[in-house]
Amino acid sequence: MLPTLRWILPLLACSALGGCALTRVSDATLAEEVEKLHAVGLTMDAARKVATEQGFECSRYIDRDVSVSTNDGVRKTDVLECSKKSLELVCPQRRYVVFNIDPATGLVRAVGKRFTQNSCF
C-alpha cells in the first residue's frame, strides 16, 4: 500500500497547486454571475461599479463604434470589458463580462460573456 501512497500524494499536491478542479467555473456558472449583475439599462459607470463589486476588474478603456451582429442586423456599440481570473497559480482561467453600450444614450443594452481557459498562453 505504501507505493500507492507515493503516487497519490504528489498527484494531490499538483492538483492543489493547479487548483483547476476547485477554482474553474462552467459556462452556466458564468451566465449566473452575469445575470446577477442586472446591468441592462444601467449607465456605463454604474455597470462598471456593479462588476467591480462582484470581483471583476474593468478595462480603463472603452472600444468605441464596434460593429456587432444582432438578429436585427449590424449595429454600432461601445464596448466595456471586465474580467476575473481563477485562483490557480499556473495558467488561471479568465472569465469576461462584456457590456455593449448604446453610444446615443450611454446605457447598457446587452451583456455578453466569454472565457479564456489558460490565460498564460
Side-chain angles (χ1 to χ4, degrees), residues 64-77:
R64 305 264 183 206
D65 283 334
V66 176
S67 297
V68 294
S69 295
T70 67
N71 292 338
D72 300 326
V74 177
R75 69 173 184 228
K76 295 288 187 178
T77 188

Side-chain angles (χ1 to χ4, degrees), residues 74-91:
V74 177
R75 69 173 184 228
K76 295 288 187 178
T77 188
D78 294 340
V79 176
L80 171 65
E81 191 171 82
C82 304
S83 68
K84 183 190 295 189
K85 70 179 183 175
S86 62
L87 298 174
E88 296 164 65
L89 298 176
V90 179
C91 298

Side-chain angles (χ1 to χ4, degrees), residues 33 36-39 42 44-58 80 82-84 95 97 99:
E33 277 186 300
K36 288 179 185 176
L37 295 175
H38 301 289
L42 296 179
M44 179 193 61
D45 290 334
R48 183 190 308 262
K49 182 177 186 251
V50 168
T52 303
E53 288 171 351
Q54 295 302 313
F56 287 90
E57 294 179 18
C58 296
L80 171 65
C82 304
S83 68
K84 183 190 295 189
R95 51 197 185 269
V97 60
F99 299 106

Side-chain angles (χ1 to χ4, degrees), residues 25-28 30 93-96 113-117:
V25 300
S26 67
D27 191 50
L30 179 57
Q93 175 194 57
R94 186 168 289 274
R95 51 197 185 269
Y96 296 86
K113 62 179 176 45
R114 69 180 175 84
F115 284 104
T116 301
Q117 290 298 341

